Amino acid sequence: MSVTDTSPTAAGETSAPLLEISNLAKHFEMRAGALKLTRLVLKAVDDVSFSLQRGETLCLVGESGCGKSTVGKLILRLMEPSAGAIRIDGDDVTHAGGAALRQFRRRVQMIFQDPFASLNPHLNAGTIVGEPLENYNLYNARERREQVAALFARVGLRPEAAAKFPFEFSGGQRQRIGIARALALSPDLIVADEPVSALDVSVQAQVLNLLVDLRDQLGLAYLFISHDLGVVEHIAHRVAVMYLGRIVEIGDKRTIFSRAQHPYTQALIAAAPVADPRVKRDAIVIEGDVPSPLDPPKGCAFHTRCPFAFARCSQETPLLTRRGDGHLAACHLDMP
Ligand code: SF4
């Protein structure tokens, strides 16, 4: 069982979390061999625990295939977890169905990676943004139009854009439509899965700044999934690093970027481009590919790539242990 992180708010205080994830797991059973007699278990997410405060941004980072998007889908209840619990304001919604799930979905919305694929090409932008209000039977037709106009203004789109179709917008404008749709039901939490990675670099900063402004104005919490450490440094309050389905380090952004304890985190940060040429980062290089999650290494799952691995690492799985205030890492070493 992993240690549940303590979660200071953006203001540095600790309060009851908006979202609490405890020992969450998603395992897929597979059959291998000519007669499909060999049973394999793929642990896409394993024993993941964290909490999220109102107004806070927790970034989930790691290489592709590390399980970060699966965590997002589990929280959105797009997948059933194999184990663990999801609580919002203390209410257990892990297996909620019917009206309780519908209510939960009002409070937790999503922004997708690909702003084009996520918008119905046959509907105009106004209809797309107003659809959640219609689905939840909120407001009459005139009020809905007013709400949609207000949402367009909030994300920096002109009111006349409501009559246009997705193909008539740029990538950045399409992502603004996706953001407006996510805001329509006034959620408390938005799960954003690589929301700027499909955009031109010049547009990424504009969309990121919009997300930061909306968070600060509306008190939104974000679970922000990204492989881009530059983006994470811009938006995160806290950072959780995943490797082969598990969180290997979690802490506030400043601590993670300046005093990371896990060699994997250190390597990710060392590999990230730095905008300021005066900033030097120690070069920790990891080699090789991520091992197959169907046959993860015994002991520390990172030991096959870790430059600091020693005998114990291949025998014993390191647990998340406290390294400071709200800072946890899963490594047998105690880094300075
Ligand atoms: Fe490296 Fe060992 Fe720490 Fe794993 S436990 S990260 S292999 S030093």
Side-chain angles (χ1 to χ4, degrees):
M1 184 182 286
S2 60
V3 178
T4 304
D5 70 310
T6 54
S7 169
T9 61
E13 297 160 355
T14 303
S15 59
L18 170 69
L19 177 77
E20 197 169 10
I21 303 301
S22 310
N23 312 109
L24 198 64
K26 181 66 184 175
H27 298 171
F28 296 97
E29 198 171 301
M30 305 176 120
R31 296 274 164 185
L35 298 174
K36 305 269 183 232
L37 293 177
T38 310
R39 179 178 168 270
L40 299 170
V41 178
L42 188 153
K43 295 182 177 178
V45 171
D46 199 28
D47 200 16
V48 164
S49 300
F50 60 81
S51 56
L52 190 55
Q53 306 286 344
R54 281 186 170 68
E56 185 184 36
T57 299
L58 173 67
C59 287
L60 267 187
V61 306
E63 290 163 290
S64 78
C66 70
K68 54 192 190 303
S69 292
T70 307
V71 170
K73 286 181 188 146
L74 290 168
I75 291 170
L76 287 158
R77 293 291 324 281
L78 301 174
M79 279 180 170
E80 276 298 302
S82 309
I86 303 166
R87 291 187 186 81
I88 189 153
D89 276 336
D91 293 334
D92 190 333
V93 292
T94 319
H95 304 291
L101 181 58
R102 207 169 141 73
Q103 185 56 27
F104 171 74
R105 292 232 161 99
R106 266 190 80 165
R107 301 187 62 186
V108 182
Q109 291 286 305
M110 174 150 200
I111 299 171
F112 296 89
Q113 176 178 7
D114 184 340
F116 196 59
S118 68
L119 303 179
N120 185 335
H122 305 295
L123 300 179
N124 68 35
T127 308
I128 290 170
V129 172
E131 217 173 16
L133 299 174
E134 210 169 335
N135 290 342
Y136 277 80
N137 216 8
L138 298 174
Y139 310 111
N140 61 35
R142 180 184 53 77
E143 289 166 337
R144 271 203 292 272
R145 278 196 299 278
E146 288 168 4
Q147 288 292 321
V148 168
L151 286 162
F152 270 60
R154 208 172 252 299
V155 300
L157 289 172
R158 293 173 173 281
E160 53 270 27
K164 293 185 180 175
F165 287 82
F167 75 89
E168 297 179 84
F169 294 96
S170 67
Q173 288 170 328
R174 283 197 287 265
Q175 196 55 299
R176 285 173 192 266
I177 295 168
I179 294 167
R181 178 178 57 186
L183 292 177
L185 296 172
S186 305
D188 297 311
L189 167 66
I190 290 182
V191 176
D193 192 352
E194 303 274 10
V196 297
S197 63
L199 305 177
D200 292 341
V201 175
S202 58
V203 180
Q204 284 188 359
Q206 295 169 18
V207 174
L208 278 177
N209 288 337
L210 172 65
L211 289 170
V212 169
D213 289 347
L214 291 169
R215 176 188 70 197
D216 296 345
Q217 289 161 11
L218 304 173
L220 288 167
Y222 293 140
L223 179 69
F224 195 100
I225 297 164
S226 179
H227 70 282
D228 185 333
L229 272 286
V231 167
V232 168
E233 201 166 8
H234 188 87
I235 198 165
H237 290 120
R238 289 189 304 139
V239 180
V241 181
M242 289 190 71
Y243 189 76
L244 278 181
R246 284 174 165 256
I247 290 180
V248 295
E249 184 155 15
I250 184 166
D252 68 73
K253 173 177 68 178
R254 198 171 309 163
T255 304
I256 293 291
F257 277 88
S258 64
R259 282 190 293 112
Q261 289 281 302
H262 197 284
Y264 179 60
T265 312
Q266 293 170 352
L268 287 182
I269 291 169
V274 184
D276 184 346
R278 292 166 300 179
V279 175
K280 295 260 180 286
R281 283 176 175 160
D282 293 337
I284 292 182
V285 179
I286 47 170
E287 287 169 359
D289 296 325
V290 182
S292 166
L294 280 170
D295 186 20
K298 301 228 171 351
C300 172
F302 187 55
H303 84 259
T304 52
R305 304 170 77 198
C306 179
F308 305 110
F310 57 107
R312 185 181 170 196
C313 304
S314 57
Q315 306 294 324
E316 200 182 313
T317 305
L319 300 176
L320 278 171
T321 53
R322 278 184 208 291
R323 307 302 171 103
D325 196 15
H327 182 197
L328 305 172
C331 176
H332 294 313
L333 286 177
D334 232 343
M335 298 274 182

